[in-house]
Amino acid sequence: MTTRCVGGLFLLAVLAPAAGRAQGVQNATLRRAQQAYDNLEYRQALSLGQAALRERLAGAERARAYEVVGFSYAALDSILKAVDGFKQMVLIDPERQLDPNRVSPKAYSAFDVALRQVLLVRQLRIDSTSFVAGQGAVPIRFMVTQPARVVTRAIGGGGGGGGGGPANFLVDSSAWNGQVNLSWSPRLPNGDPVPAGTYTVVVEARLGQNTFSASQQIRVTHGRVDTLPHLTSLPGYQYLPETEIPPQTWRPLGLAFLYTGGALIGTLGLESGSLGASSKRELGVVGGAALVTGFVMTLRKPAPRPAEGNILYNRLLTEQIARRNADIAKENVTRRQQVQLTVGPPLKTGAPR
Amino acid sequence: MSQGGGIPVAMVLLGVVGWPAGAGAQHLTVGPQAVLVDYREVSSGLRYSGSGFGGVATGRHGKLSAAASVVRLTLDPTDQSTAGAGFKATQLDAWVGYDVASYASVEVGIIRRTADPGFAAQSLGALRVGARSTYDLGPGATVSFRANYLAAPKFSGGGRASFSIDLGLGLDVRLAGRLHGVVDYAFERVNRKTNPGGTGEIDAPIQQTLARLGLGIGF
């Protein structure tokens, strides 16, 4: 029962990657091989695949033929030959990747062994990015299938990397194996940003006599660094009203009484005894006017008065904003002298050499 | 009485009418005045009452303030007076003040009153030295109280005064826009003494109450 289950899973797994591929195949033999594989006729698929390889095939169809041969050998438990088939496949199409969740473990392990037996630079990826020159780098990722001396260069851009012709910038030269993550700071030897233009990032792996290279084009453009806007307010802090209306009181009438009373007392106190009591008509007129005015002012809404605390707070806020704006202005002066480098999307991927 | 010294000072003080406009924190007010007056001299039997008209000018520049008032008075003997005839008088008052606090200022100035005819009453000239307290009653309304010592008084009839004082109550109310109502009360007491014929000093006090009621145009 276990054998049946494994067999069923194997069939499903092997069928999955081949499904639908026969439709795009131009070569008749290869198409028949694919159909035979789809019909689980592995021996026939194998012989037809080998026959197709003897015919004249385009690169993609040749890789497809090796893939059918590899899968057929794996299905027939001929692992070493399956590995050979997959090796030929990845040499033609190094970016070919099998999904371990969708192919049989035998086929996948054969594919994995094949990858480790050939020197490849795969999955070269350069992400789009944008940064201020000198403050960022271009991320470069790739995979080397065998331990090898890997030299990564950026070529192009119209000079500046030393010598005449296109610029040639050495990004990295190290021994690597497996996943590699590099970063390239696109600067000239004098520290200036590299000229704008199209560059080709070439990754060349060398192991003894074997070499393999992959490349990808990127576009580097120059731009101005965004300057910071000046502040008109600080988030969370608002200007407060600089005047406040005091509560209504009897103070105006009280003051009028006080001042009028002072004048009255002064008059009474300073009157000369020999001259008799002075006329109060004049004081009555002026004092009455003062009292009426005080009473009216008591009933009126008080005049706004300066709110010292708020004035100080607003002054501090203004000074703080001015200080921040001075810093921003200084920062903007620096930013206007900087160059924003933008690495555009890859234009095309390289082909194996 | 020495008449020569006061006039130039008064002219300078009256120059506040031409207070320069355009400088910061300054106010200028000029306007006419109607006056009520009560005047007594020497004894309770010599008393006059009357009215008059005149003009006032006030100015402020920062902590400095100035005011000048000229009124023409017509005084008649009261019913209880023993005087036979009235007289006319011209009174000039001027002050220059400096704020020492938001509500207090010190001030100096002059007072000069001339009687016409001259023998009908004493003409007076003196320097003012004193203080003034001013408070806001409300929007556009201020009340003030002043006390001035009248120093070095001179009289047309001679004599001296060991104690002379002038008290005042003022009110300034903005009636509408630039139009102000300006009223002022002044109580003046001069302890004049004379020595007629060298027989010894006798009291000849002077006492006046005066109310100025006016309008002012602010600039």
Side-chain angles (χ1 to χ4, degrees):
Chain A
M1 180 179 175
T2 307
T3 310
R4 284 165 107 186
C5 281
V6 171
L9 285 172
F10 175 74
L11 290 175
L12 280 173
V14 170
L15 277 172
R21 290 186 186 171
Q23 297 170 351
V25 174
Q26 299 292 321
N27 184 274
T29 309
L30 179 57
R31 194 162 54 241
R32 286 171 56 204
Q34 188 73 56
Q35 287 169 350
Y37 185 85
D38 293 345
N39 295 330
L40 310 182
E41 295 166 353
Y42 302 125
R43 290 190 186 285
Q44 189 180 356
L46 180 58
S47 61
L48 285 170
Q50 287 172 331
L53 286 171
R54 286 191 291 274
E55 295 177 10
R56 188 180 183 83
L57 295 176
E61 287 192 335
R62 182 164 292 278
R64 181 71 53 79
Y66 277 120
E67 186 178 357
V68 171
V69 169
F71 271 111
S72 299
Y73 274 128
L76 295 171
D77 291 335
S78 193
I79 301 300
L80 291 178
K81 290 184 178 178
V83 168
D84 284 339
F86 286 132
K87 280 164 63 175
Q88 297 303 319
M89 178 190 76
V90 295
L91 283 172
I92 297 170
D93 182 7
E95 297 301 318
R96 183 77 174 101
Q97 183 65 33
L98 297 184
D99 184 353
N101 296 318
R102 298 189 63 182
V103 301
S104 76
K106 277 195 290 188
Y108 188 79
S109 63
F111 174 77
D112 195 43
V113 170
L115 279 181
R116 286 194 226 130
Q117 288 185 0
V118 293
L119 177 61
L120 295 174
V121 176
R122 308 175 70 228
Q123 298 168 1
L124 174 60
R125 302 283 183 270
I126 302 171
D127 296 332
S128 297
T129 185
S130 182
F131 52 85
V132 176
Q135 297 179 11
V138 181
I140 301 173
R141 293 178 286 125
F142 56 87
M143 178 176 281
V144 184
T145 56
Q146 284 190 306
R149 163 67 61 179
V150 181
V151 178
T152 307
R153 296 177 185 281
I155 300 168
N168 189 336
F169 301 97
L170 177 63
V171 177
D172 181 72
S173 177
S174 304
W176 293 105
N177 184 25
Q179 181 67 41
V180 179
N181 294 306
L182 299 177
S183 62
W184 173 44
S185 180
R187 285 192 293 177
L188 299 174
N190 62 5
D192 289 345
V194 298
T198 301
Y199 290 80
T200 303
V201 175
V202 179
V203 180
E204 184 176 306
R206 180 180 296 275
L207 177 62
Q209 298 297 317
N210 295 330
T211 62
F212 192 92
S213 69
S215 64
Q216 182 170 327
Q217 281 195 321
I218 59 172
R219 190 172 52 224
V220 176
T221 57
H222 285 185
R224 300 175 68 173
V225 178
D226 290 340
T227 53
L228 299 172
H230 279 233
L231 298 176
T232 54
S233 64
L234 288 181
Y237 296 90
Q238 293 179 332
Y239 283 103
L240 299 176
E242 296 196 347
T243 57
E244 59 186 4
I245 297 175
Q248 208 159 14
T249 65
W250 290 93
R251 187 169 176 271
L253 184 58
L255 282 171
F257 263 113
L258 180 67
Y259 278 66
T260 305
L264 179 61
I265 291 169
T267 300
L268 293 175
L270 293 170
E271 278 177 350
S272 169
S274 60
L275 295 177
S278 65
S279 165
K280 303 298 182 296
R281 178 184 60 168
E282 291 77 16
L283 179 58
V285 170
V286 177
L291 292 175
V292 169
T293 303
F295 182 69
V296 170
M297 291 300 164
T298 296
L299 298 180
R300 283 185 65 179
K301 185 179 173 185
R305 66 185 179 192
E308 296 297 335
N310 291 359
I311 291 171
L312 280 176
Y313 170 85
N314 289 347
R315 197 177 299 160
L316 281 174
L317 192 55
T318 303
E319 287 173 3
Q320 186 66 25
I321 290 173
R323 199 172 301 142
R324 294 280 292 274
N325 280 335
D327 292 342
I328 287 171
K330 202 180 298 177
E331 171 74 16
N332 284 344
V333 168
T334 306
R335 285 180 176 231
R336 287 190 191 98
Q337 295 167 347
Q338 292 175 330
V339 176
Q340 180 83 19
L341 289 180
T342 302
V343 178
L347 297 177
K348 65 177 184 179
T349 55
R353 189 168 66 186
Chain B
M1 175 187 163
S2 169
Q3 296 184 354
I7 292 173
V9 177
M11 291 176 69
V12 169
L13 293 173
L14 279 172
V16 297
V17 175
W19 199 263
Q26 61 185 27
H27 307 280
L28 179 66
T29 305
V30 293
Q33 286 184 322
V35 184
L36 298 175
V37 63
D38 179 82
Y39 182 82
R40 302 178 186 201
E41 189 177 325
V42 182
S43 69
S44 60
L46 203 58
R47 59 174 65 176
Y48 302 85
S49 179
S51 60
F53 62 91
V56 64
T58 64
R60 169 167 287 278
H61 180 77
K63 290 186 171 185
L64 276 176
S65 61
S69 168
V70 181
V71 292
R72 177 71 172 169
L73 306 170
T74 302
L75 295 114
D76 296 311
T78 62
D79 295 341
Q80 301 83 10
S81 178
T82 58
F87 66 95
K88 293 182 183 297
T90 301
Q91 180 168 327
L92 165 69
D93 296 281
W95 299 266
V96 174
Y98 180 79
D99 293 347
V100 293
S102 61
Y103 55 88
S105 59
V106 294
E107 61 186 17
V108 295
I110 60 164
I111 177 172
R112 176 178 170 78
R113 184 172 58 241
T114 51
D116 180 22
F119 58 82
Q122 289 295 321
S123 294
L124 166 70
L127 296 175
R128 293 173 176 273
V129 180
R132 184 187 298 252
S133 172
T134 305
Y135 259 105
D136 286 338
L137 289 181
T142 57
V143 64
S144 63
F145 178 79
R146 72 164 189 279
N148 290 163
Y149 179 74
L150 302 180
K154 302 290 183 187
F155 306 96
S156 57
R160 65 181 186 89
S162 57
F163 177 76
S164 305
I165 197 163
D166 178 275
L167 299 179
L169 174 68
L171 180 69
D172 186 325
V173 181
R174 192 178 69 234
L175 299 175
R178 294 172 175 268
L179 184 63
H180 289 245
V182 183
V183 296
D184 182 76
Y185 166 75
F187 172 80
E188 174 194 310
R189 164 73 190 276
V190 178
N191 270 4
R192 176 173 172 249
K193 293 179 186 297
T194 60
N195 188 4
T199 56
E201 284 191 330
I202 59 170
D203 289 336
I206 298 171
Q207 182 172 294
Q208 176 183 275
T209 58
L210 186 141
R212 299 182 182 91
L213 310 161
L215 294 173
I217 304 293
F219 297 98

